[in-house]
Amino acid sequence: MTATPIYLDNHATTRVDPRVLDAMLPYFSEIYGNAASISHRFGWDAGDAVEAARGKIAELFNTDARNVIFTSGATEANNLALKGVLHAAPPGSHLITAAAEHKAVLDPAKRLSRSDYEVTVLPVDQYGMVDPQQIAESLRPNTVLVSIMSANNEVGTLNDIAEIAALCRERGVHFHTDAAQSAGKLPLDLSTTPIDLLSLSGHKIYGPKGIGVLFVRHGSPRIKLEPQLDGGGHERHLRSGTLPVPLIVGLGRACELCGETMVDEAARLLELRERLWTGLQDRLDGLTLNGHPEQRLPGNLNVSFDGVEGDALMNSMREIAVSSGSACTSADPQPSHVLRAMGVSDALTRASLRFGLGRFNTTEEIDRAVEVVADAVGRLRE
Ligand SMILES: Cc1ncc(COP(=O)(O)O)c(C=O)c1O
């Protein structure tokens, strides 16, 4: 049997933290009630666990627990945000988003543009960043929503979400951010940043797959959101369906751990990322860093290797698990639309690999990855 590869694909998904799994287990076998059952103890205990988790999730973002709407993940949260706001607005309303967004934003935006709505997809710069000024200039009287991601899932570039949120608030337009890659990794205070809607996903922060949140800001101006799933009226009638209590408990614990470890973990990942990058540069030439050199996720390194096909490189080094482009975006791999939007040539796009470093990676693994990648690139360039 071959040894387990070194996992460097933490943007695609993360391993469930053992402490998260421990918290979840009793909710499969002992506390298995339906959180909506209000007539007996099984239901009360499940309901209490859901509300405790909701509180922990809200606490990580310094916001009110009432703002937390559980979904199946960030894809559903993004769909609910975009379709929910547009469907509740008059036909012909306008949405602004950007070319480097995840498909879980771009595809619902495309669907909306095929029906009664107007959609503007803004370009990004060579780092994958959106210019807030361009957003300001693209706002129209009928614009109801701006959706810009916090951190890019391929190149790790961070947008200036605080500035974009502030300008949207000033102009009376709702602002949504897909924070699937940054939530729990970088601090965010929703009490001081005027974000109206925010998506996150459990499996990106060492929690389980199949659970996510759409934060929907309570209060004035009120956000009108049309539910995309009708049923039992769960989650303030915004997302019907029996709540997956074990997954919610897991997400609550995952958020709690992020709160405890985020600052140290970000510093550690940054160090590991620099070690990987300088290690590769010491061994190889013809490397191009994709994404912003500083404004990027601590655990992200996206590199193009001159003269090498990313897929061939991946296939020739089974000892490490990375991704060429964005394996998590689709079941239908295409050349990266993000790198394309950044103006990266087709050749360098094909030559790119994404390294996603996470909580469980060690210095030894990074040093080994440098050796394996450098050797494989050397062989392919021969
Ligand atoms: C930025 C971003 N948005 C949305 C998603 C989709 O999240 P989920 O897998 O929870 O649906 C992902 C990852 O797949 C992502 O990286």
Side-chain angles (χ1 to χ4, degrees):
M1 215 169 75
T2 53
T4 308
I6 297 169
Y7 189 72
L8 295 177
D9 203 10
N10 284 282
H11 300 315
T13 196
T14 57
R15 172 183 156 192
V16 172
D17 191 302
R19 294 165 290 183
V20 168
L21 184 61
D22 281 349
M24 290 169 65
L25 286 175
Y27 293 89
F28 287 104
S29 51
E30 292 156 40
I31 312 162
Y32 50 81
N34 186 325
S37 297
I38 52 169
S39 54
H40 51 69
R41 163 95 187 274
F42 293 91
W44 303 330
D45 288 351
D48 288 349
V50 165
E51 293 319 312
R54 200 189 296 279
K56 287 177 187 167
I57 297 161
E59 196 182 322
L60 181 60
F61 300 92
N62 197 19
T63 191
D64 194 311
R66 285 177 308 169
N67 298 343
V68 173
I69 304 297
F70 289 113
T71 65
S72 61
T75 300
E76 189 192 334
N78 289 343
N79 272 266
L80 178 56
L82 269 63
K83 294 175 185 167
V85 170
L86 273 289
H87 290 169
S93 291
H94 179 224
L95 161 73
I96 297 176
T97 185
E101 294 291 313
H102 193 276
K103 293 285 183 187
V105 163
L106 290 175
D107 286 354
K110 198 188 287 174
R111 192 174 292 282
L112 286 163
S113 74
R114 285 201 218 105
S115 53
D116 285 339
Y117 304 97
E118 294 174 17
V119 175
T120 298
V121 180
L122 293 175
V124 292
D125 68 10
Q126 75 267 36
Y127 302 124
M129 210 179 259
V130 180
D131 176 5
Q133 188 55 34
Q134 241 181 346
I135 295 179
E137 286 162 11
S138 307
L139 291 171
R140 304 177 189 164
N142 61 340
T143 309
V144 293
L145 183 67
V146 171
S147 178
I148 301 294
M149 69 199 324
S150 302
N152 187 274
N153 49 296
E154 293 191 35
V155 295
T157 296
L158 306 175
N159 278 308
D160 192 343
I161 290 308
E163 184 176 347
I164 298 170
L167 88 85
C168 289
R169 177 61 55 86
E170 199 182 296
R171 302 281 292 267
V173 173
H174 291 323
F175 176 59
H176 165 251
T177 187
D178 175 352
Q181 293 292 344
S182 64
K185 311 222 171 95
L186 297 171
L188 177 65
D189 186 335
L190 287 177
S191 75
T192 53
T193 315
I195 294 170
D196 297 301
L197 300 139
L198 178 144
S199 305
L200 67 79
S201 174
H203 73 97
K204 309 289 188 188
I205 52 171
Y206 314 97
K209 295 168 183 58
I211 186 71
V213 163
L214 180 66
F215 284 92
V216 182
R217 186 188 45 72
H218 237 80
S220 139
R222 193 167 97 75
I223 300 171
K224 287 201 205 107
L225 204 58
E226 181 135 316
Q228 301 299 305
L229 283 180
D230 294 313
H234 308 76
E235 299 299 276
R236 297 202 272 123
H237 291 274
L238 289 175
R239 202 284 192 174
S240 287
T242 300
L243 291 174
V245 180
L247 304 185
I248 288 172
V249 169
L251 179 57
R253 183 73 179 118
C255 284
E256 194 174 45
L257 292 170
C258 286
E260 288 165 15
T261 59
M262 184 159 33
V263 174
D264 291 346
E265 195 161 286
R268 194 182 75 88
L269 288 180
L270 190 60
E271 228 170 80
L272 287 184
R273 197 224 15 237
E274 286 311 301
R275 192 176 180 99
L276 177 60
W277 181 221
T278 50
L280 290 174
Q281 285 175 303
D282 287 347
R283 292 274 315 261
L284 295 166
D285 49 25
L287 304 185
T288 310
L289 177 71
N290 298 310
H292 199 283
E294 285 113 34
Q295 298 301 316
R296 68 190 299 140
L297 285 171
N300 176 281
L301 185 69
N302 190 309
V303 184
S304 292
F305 297 84
D306 252 2
V308 172
E309 293 284 325
D311 284 340
L313 181 54
M314 262 188 345
N315 292 333
S316 71
M317 42 179 212
R318 294 292 184 192
E319 201 184 317
I320 62 170
V322 287
S323 149
S324 69
S326 175
C328 70
T329 56
S330 67
D332 163 32
Q334 295 283 332
S336 160
H337 72 278
V338 172
L339 295 178
R340 224 170 235 180
M342 289 161 54
V344 176
S345 70
D346 283 353
L348 282 184
T349 295
R350 282 198 307 274
S352 73
L353 282 192
R354 176 185 70 177
F355 300 87
L357 280 52
R359 181 173 294 170
F360 300 107
N361 288 126
T362 61
T363 309
E364 292 70 34
E365 286 180 328
I366 298 304
D367 291 346
R368 179 68 192 146
V370 169
E371 268 178 51
V372 172
V373 177
D375 288 351
V377 170
R379 277 197 308 275
L380 288 169
R381 279 183 179 165
E382 266 169 15

